[in-house]
Amino acid sequence: MEDDLLSLFEHGRCVLARADYGYEVATPAGWSEADLERLPFQAAVAEASAGKGLLVRNSALLLGWSKTRSAHELWGSLRALARRGPLLLLCRFPRHAKEIRSRLKTAGVPPALWETPASGEVPPLYRRLPPGSELRRLHLSYEWATGLAAARGGVALRRVAFLVAEAGPMTVPALARSLGLTAGATRSYARWMEEAALVRRSGSALDFRHPLLAELFQGPPPAEVKLPPKERAWDPVELD
């Protein structure tokens, strides 16, 4: 994945990378790194060294910083950074990536875009965790909850999730019938879930972003039934 990203810098100095939950993007050797979860934007800019690359993690927070009084400086600073050296902005959700890309184009920094393929492949993080483990379920719950927080629709999206978990990939018309909603409303829910990287298109049907998310909407496996021990016949010798 890193090789694909780095190859994009041959055509431009700014790359916007959108990686699903469970995929790690390592900082290239010799680059600086700034995480907007831990640093204000101004401090992140100070992390950059002239001529060296800069990886900005959680770049969706740029959209929040752009609403502050120093908003006019923000996109100009990114333009200046891209001119000084390679700039890689990393975010998670398609909705945020779309908006950041539009803002960068307006600022004169049209970025190359790289995204995690929506192939339904299980992310590398989960392949390292034991099936059925509490840790894996915690990660799945966090992935879903944070995706839901970035989406719209609330409980309606959970209704979609329960249906897909039970029936497998479903078309919008089939979902609409099951939900008792119009096709237009159901298409909106599907789009919101796609924009939050919760689901993907599988042909003409809607499916989970990766199959493990279905585990969150299925009941626990049936408990093992323990039969009472058989009564042992008395041996007359034991009565002596």
Side-chain angles (χ1 to χ4, degrees):
M1 185 167 69
E2 283 78 4
D3 291 341
D4 293 340
L5 274 172
L6 292 177
S7 67
L8 293 175
F9 287 102
E10 298 174 2
H11 308 290
R13 290 274 185 188
C14 182
V15 173
L16 175 60
R18 194 204 61 72
D20 284 356
Y21 186 84
Y23 288 85
E24 177 62 26
V25 176
T27 304
W31 285 38
S32 302
E33 177 182 323
D35 189 340
L36 296 188
E37 284 278 9
R38 303 182 180 187
L39 290 172
F41 176 71
Q42 294 83 351
V45 171
E47 289 288 319
S49 302
K52 293 184 179 180
L54 174 65
L55 169 61
V56 180
R57 297 188 184 276
N58 293 299
S59 64
L61 292 175
L62 290 170
L63 299 172
W65 281 104
S66 67
K67 297 176 183 178
T68 64
R69 291 182 179 179
S70 58
H72 65 283
E73 302 174 3
L74 186 148
W75 303 106
S77 298
L78 288 170
R79 183 172 59 247
L81 283 173
R83 288 173 178 171
R84 288 167 55 187
L87 176 63
L88 175 57
L89 304 176
L90 181 63
C91 70
R92 175 178 160 195
F93 299 115
R95 180 166 67 89
H96 294 154
K98 183 178 180 180
E99 189 170 350
I100 292 172
R101 194 180 190 191
S102 176
R103 297 287 191 93
L104 289 171
K105 284 183 178 179
T106 302
V109 197
L113 178 64
W114 180 92
E115 294 189 88
T116 304
S119 61
E121 182 181 353
V122 174
L125 168 67
Y126 295 114
R127 295 201 291 268
R128 299 195 298 266
L129 302 176
S133 66
E134 184 64 21
L135 182 57
R136 187 168 90 166
R137 187 168 182 84
L138 285 172
H139 274 287
L140 288 168
S141 297
Y142 181 80
E143 178 181 358
W144 184 266
T146 50
L148 207 61
R152 294 170 288 175
V155 71
L157 306 191
R158 296 188 65 85
R159 292 176 65 195
V160 172
F162 281 117
L163 286 170
V164 174
E166 180 180 1
M170 297 181 70
T171 63
V172 167
L175 278 170
R177 288 192 297 270
S178 297
L179 294 168
L181 299 172
T182 65
T186 306
R187 276 194 294 271
S188 293
Y189 292 143
R191 185 178 71 254
W192 296 344
M193 295 178 81
E194 282 186 278
E195 291 175 345
L198 297 173
V199 298
R200 65 185 181 92
R201 295 284 176 172
S202 177
S204 61
L206 200 70
D207 198 2
F208 285 109
R209 196 72 175 183
H210 62 81
L212 297 187
L213 287 172
E215 294 180 8
L216 296 173
F217 304 95
Q218 297 167 337
E224 182 182 351
V225 178
K226 294 184 177 180
L227 299 175
K230 293 182 179 180
E231 292 187 7
R232 186 167 59 90
W234 286 105
D235 185 341
V237 175
E238 295 178 354
L239 299 177
D240 294 342

